[in-house]
Amino acid sequence: MRIDIISVIPDMMEGFINESILARAQKKGLVEIHLHNLRDYTLDKWRRVDDYPYGGSAGMIIQCEPIDRCISALKAERDYDEVIYTSPDGEQFDQHVANDLSLKGNIIILCGHYKGIDQRVREHLITREISIGDYVLTGGELAAAVMTDAIVRLIPGSISDEQSALSDCFQDDMLAAPIYTRPSEYKGWKVPDVLLSGNEAKIRKWEFDRAMERTKKIRPDLLK
Ligand code: ADE
């Protein structure tokens, strides 16, 4: 898989994509993540990529040209399955969307900034608009980082125990069951007996019941 992230502040993501699971997945050849500075694609001699909105409202808007030139340059090299725009008014990002995107070959993520991007880019170049939640961030970089992290950890081999991605919270539209490690008793706080019983079927049922309990209490909306 290949993820190309386009941003006006790519440096913000440089450290993030080269650490931990993302770094390991890239080293293993499971994914390539490339950052692109939108300013490299403007023809403006001051490297400006934004301009005032028609109609006189407040804020600055990213122009069509640098975005089009950047996306066209990428598309000239390879095909892309999705060209995603991060925006608070997009489709809600969740584990289903992460699963779906983790199965794609190549994707572009365009980070919004300022007031947003020219609507014509959304109509002609973007295939999917995604929000990471009902709040407004300063730019789409954090959204792109969140999405990239959630997607890459789902690629088989990127986390050491594949099973652990499958048992993630939300993977079955449920919160995860509680987890414990050694020692079996600490300061009188005990690990539930069933987990020490060695009875696989009983343990799986206990985990399911606890997960269901938590989901009903904290996120009943997931069960609808
Ligand atoms: N850009 C600004 N806010 C955002 C959000 N909530 N999700 C995705 N991109 C954004």
Short mmCIF file of all heavy atoms in Angstrom, two decimals, residues 173 175 212-224:
data_model
loop_
_atom_site.label_atom_id
_atom_site.label_comp_id
_atom_site.label_asym_id
_atom_site.label_seq_id
_atom_site.Cartn_x
_atom_site.Cartn_y
_atom_site.Cartn_z
N ASP A 173 -17.88 -3.85 16.23
CA ASP A 173 -18.89 -2.88 16.65
C ASP A 173 -19.17 -2.98 18.13
O ASP A 173 -20.30 -2.83 18.59
CB ASP A 173 -20.19 -3.04 15.85
CG ASP A 173 -20.03 -2.47 14.46
OD1 ASP A 173 -19.40 -1.41 14.33
OD2 ASP A 173 -20.52 -3.10 13.51
N LEU A 175 -17.08 -2.40 22.18
CA LEU A 175 -15.86 -2.04 22.89
C LEU A 175 -15.13 -3.33 23.25
O LEU A 175 -15.71 -4.41 23.22
CB LEU A 175 -16.19 -1.23 24.15
CG LEU A 175 -16.99 0.06 23.89
CD1 LEU A 175 -17.15 0.85 25.20
CD2 LEU A 175 -16.32 0.94 22.85
N MET A 212 -19.75 -6.82 25.95
CA MET A 212 -21.14 -6.42 25.73
C MET A 212 -21.62 -5.50 26.86
O MET A 212 -22.26 -4.47 26.60
CB MET A 212 -22.01 -7.70 25.64
CG MET A 212 -23.47 -7.42 25.36
SD MET A 212 -23.72 -6.51 23.82
CE MET A 212 -23.78 -7.85 22.66
N GLU A 213 -21.29 -5.86 28.09
CA GLU A 213 -21.66 -5.04 29.24
C GLU A 213 -21.14 -3.60 29.11
O GLU A 213 -21.86 -2.63 29.30
CB GLU A 213 -20.99 -5.64 30.48
CG GLU A 213 -21.91 -6.10 31.59
CD GLU A 213 -21.10 -6.91 32.60
OE1 GLU A 213 -20.05 -6.41 33.09
OE2 GLU A 213 -21.50 -8.04 32.85
N ARG A 214 -19.83 -3.51 28.78
CA ARG A 214 -19.20 -2.19 28.64
C ARG A 214 -19.85 -1.40 27.51
O ARG A 214 -20.06 -0.19 27.62
CB ARG A 214 -17.72 -2.34 28.27
CG ARG A 214 -16.82 -2.57 29.43
CD ARG A 214 -15.40 -2.74 28.93
NE ARG A 214 -14.58 -1.59 29.27
CZ ARG A 214 -13.25 -1.60 29.17
NH1 ARG A 214 -12.63 -2.65 28.71
NH2 ARG A 214 -12.56 -0.54 29.52
N THR A 215 -20.10 -2.10 26.38
CA THR A 215 -20.67 -1.41 25.22
C THR A 215 -22.06 -0.87 25.56
O THR A 215 -22.39 0.28 25.25
CB THR A 215 -20.74 -2.36 24.01
OG1 THR A 215 -19.48 -3.00 23.86
CG2 THR A 215 -21.07 -1.61 22.73
N LYS A 216 -22.88 -1.70 26.23
CA LYS A 216 -24.25 -1.27 26.60
C LYS A 216 -24.20 -0.04 27.49
O LYS A 216 -25.01 0.86 27.39
CB LYS A 216 -24.97 -2.40 27.33
CG LYS A 216 -25.60 -3.41 26.39
CD LYS A 216 -26.42 -4.42 27.17
CE LYS A 216 -27.01 -5.46 26.25
NZ LYS A 216 -27.34 -6.70 26.95
N LYS A 217 -23.20 -0.04 28.40
CA LYS A 217 -23.12 1.05 29.36
C LYS A 217 -22.55 2.33 28.75
O LYS A 217 -23.10 3.42 28.95
CB LYS A 217 -22.21 0.58 30.51
CG LYS A 217 -22.21 1.51 31.68
CD LYS A 217 -21.59 0.84 32.90
CE LYS A 217 -21.26 1.89 33.94
NZ LYS A 217 -20.05 1.59 34.66
N ILE A 218 -21.45 2.19 27.98
CA ILE A 218 -20.72 3.38 27.53
C ILE A 218 -21.11 3.82 26.12
O ILE A 218 -21.20 5.01 25.84
CB ILE A 218 -19.20 3.12 27.61
CG1 ILE A 218 -18.80 2.79 29.05
CG2 ILE A 218 -18.39 4.32 27.12
CD1 ILE A 218 -17.42 2.20 29.20
N ARG A 219 -21.30 2.86 25.20
CA ARG A 219 -21.58 3.19 23.80
C ARG A 219 -22.75 2.38 23.25
O ARG A 219 -22.60 1.63 22.28
CB ARG A 219 -20.33 2.95 22.94
CG ARG A 219 -19.17 3.91 23.21
CD ARG A 219 -19.50 5.35 22.77
NE ARG A 219 -19.95 5.40 21.39
CZ ARG A 219 -19.11 5.48 20.34
NH1 ARG A 219 -17.83 5.55 20.52
NH2 ARG A 219 -19.59 5.50 19.11
N PRO A 220 -23.96 2.54 23.85
CA PRO A 220 -25.10 1.74 23.37
C PRO A 220 -25.40 1.99 21.89
O PRO A 220 -25.95 1.13 21.21
CB PRO A 220 -26.26 2.20 24.26
CG PRO A 220 -25.81 3.48 24.89
CD PRO A 220 -24.33 3.42 24.96
N ASP A 221 -25.00 3.16 21.38
CA ASP A 221 -25.25 3.48 19.97
C ASP A 221 -24.59 2.47 19.02
O ASP A 221 -25.07 2.24 17.91
CB ASP A 221 -24.75 4.89 19.64
CG ASP A 221 -23.27 5.07 19.98
OD1 ASP A 221 -22.90 4.94 21.17
OD2 ASP A 221 -22.48 5.33 19.06
N LEU A 222 -23.48 1.85 19.47
CA LEU A 222 -22.77 0.89 18.60
C LEU A 222 -23.60 -0.36 18.35
O LEU A 222 -23.40 -1.07 17.37
CB LEU A 222 -21.44 0.46 19.24
CG LEU A 222 -20.34 1.52 19.34
CD1 LEU A 222 -19.14 0.96 20.10
CD2 LEU A 222 -19.91 1.99 17.96
N LEU A 223 -24.52 -0.66 19.26
CA LEU A 223 -25.27 -1.91 19.15
C LEU A 223 -26.51 -1.78 18.27
O LEU A 223 -27.15 -2.76 17.95
CB LEU A 223 -25.69 -2.39 20.55
CG LEU A 223 -24.52 -2.67 21.50
CD1 LEU A 223 -25.00 -2.90 22.92
CD2 LEU A 223 -23.72 -3.87 21.01
N LYS A 224 -26.80 -0.54 17.83
CA LYS A 224 -28.03 -0.34 17.04
C LYS A 224 -27.87 -0.84 15.61
O LYS A 224 -26.82 -0.80 15.07
CB LYS A 224 -28.41 1.12 17.06
CG LYS A 224 -29.01 1.45 18.40
CD LYS A 224 -29.56 2.87 18.48
CE LYS A 224 -29.96 3.14 19.91
NZ LYS A 224 -29.31 4.34 20.44
#
